[in-house]
Amino acid sequence: MIYGIGTDICDIRRITATLERQGERFATKVLGDAELAVWRARSARWPKRGVRYLATRFSAKEAFSKAIGKGMRMPMSWRLCEITNLPSGQPQIVLHGALKDWFEAQGLTAHVTVTDESDYAASFVVVERGLPPPANP
C-alpha cells in the first residue's frame, strides 16, 4: 500500500551558486559520509559532475522528505538519509540513526529514481507500507 509519494526538481545552477558561496560546507551539510566520499571523488575528476551528483542527492532527499510527510524536521535530516547506488547503478535510499528507527517501526520501504539534464536534477520517491500481519484467529 502506498504511504506517500514525493517529487522534487532542483536547479543545478542554484546548487552551483550555493557551492561557490559556501564551498564544501554546503556539501557536508547535505551529504552523508558515503555520499561525501563519492562527491569528493567526482568533483576532483570533473567538477561539473560533482555538482550534478550533489544536486541529484539534494533533490532525492527533498522528494523523500515529502513522501514520508515530515519535511525537513526530525526524524528526517539531510545526513541521516543517503542516496547510494547498487552495483547495477540503481539508486537506493539508505537511512541511519533515528530516521532509520522511525522508518522501520512504521513498516515502510522506499523506492527512488533520480535524473539530471542540462540545468535541472529531478527525483521521484514512492514509500510503501507493508500489509499488516494477519490477525490471530
Side-chain angles (χ1 to χ4, degrees):
M1 171 166 73
I2 293 179
Y3 178 86
I5 298 171
T7 189
D8 188 74
I9 187 166
C10 176
D11 189 329
I12 295 171
R13 296 165 295 191
R14 184 175 142 225
I15 298 297
T16 301
T18 303
L19 275 172
E20 288 172 359
R21 278 192 322 274
Q22 297 183 15
E24 190 168 308
R25 186 172 50 124
F26 177 66
T28 59
K29 175 184 173 185
V30 173
L31 302 175
D33 293 338
E35 294 169 316
L36 202 53
V38 172
W39 175 76
R40 285 179 176 141
R42 288 187 182 187
S43 294
R45 290 191 68 205
W46 190 28
K48 287 185 178 183
R49 191 167 178 221
V51 172
R52 289 182 173 297
Y53 178 84
L54 179 55
T56 59
R57 273 45 195 177
F58 183 92
S59 175
K61 293 175 187 199
E62 285 281 336
F64 178 76
S65 73
K66 294 170 186 175
I68 64 171
K70 295 288 183 189
M72 282 298 169
R73 65 181 196 282
M74 289 305 285
M76 179 62 196
S77 76
W78 293 109
R79 292 184 47 81
L80 293 181
C81 175
E82 289 189 292
I83 313 302
T84 63
N85 292 88
L86 296 170
S88 66
Q90 177 184 354
Q92 67 175 350
I93 297 175
V94 177
L95 304 176
H96 305 284
L99 181 57
K100 179 180 180 180
D101 295 342
W102 174 84
F103 194 77
E104 289 176 352
Q106 302 299 312
L108 302 175
T109 57
H111 310 278
V112 61
T113 187
V114 299
T115 190
D116 62 271
E117 180 63 42
S118 300
D119 296 327
Y120 299 97
S123 302
F124 190 76
V125 173
V126 175
V127 174
E128 296 178 296
R129 177 175 279 161
L131 296 174
N136 290 334

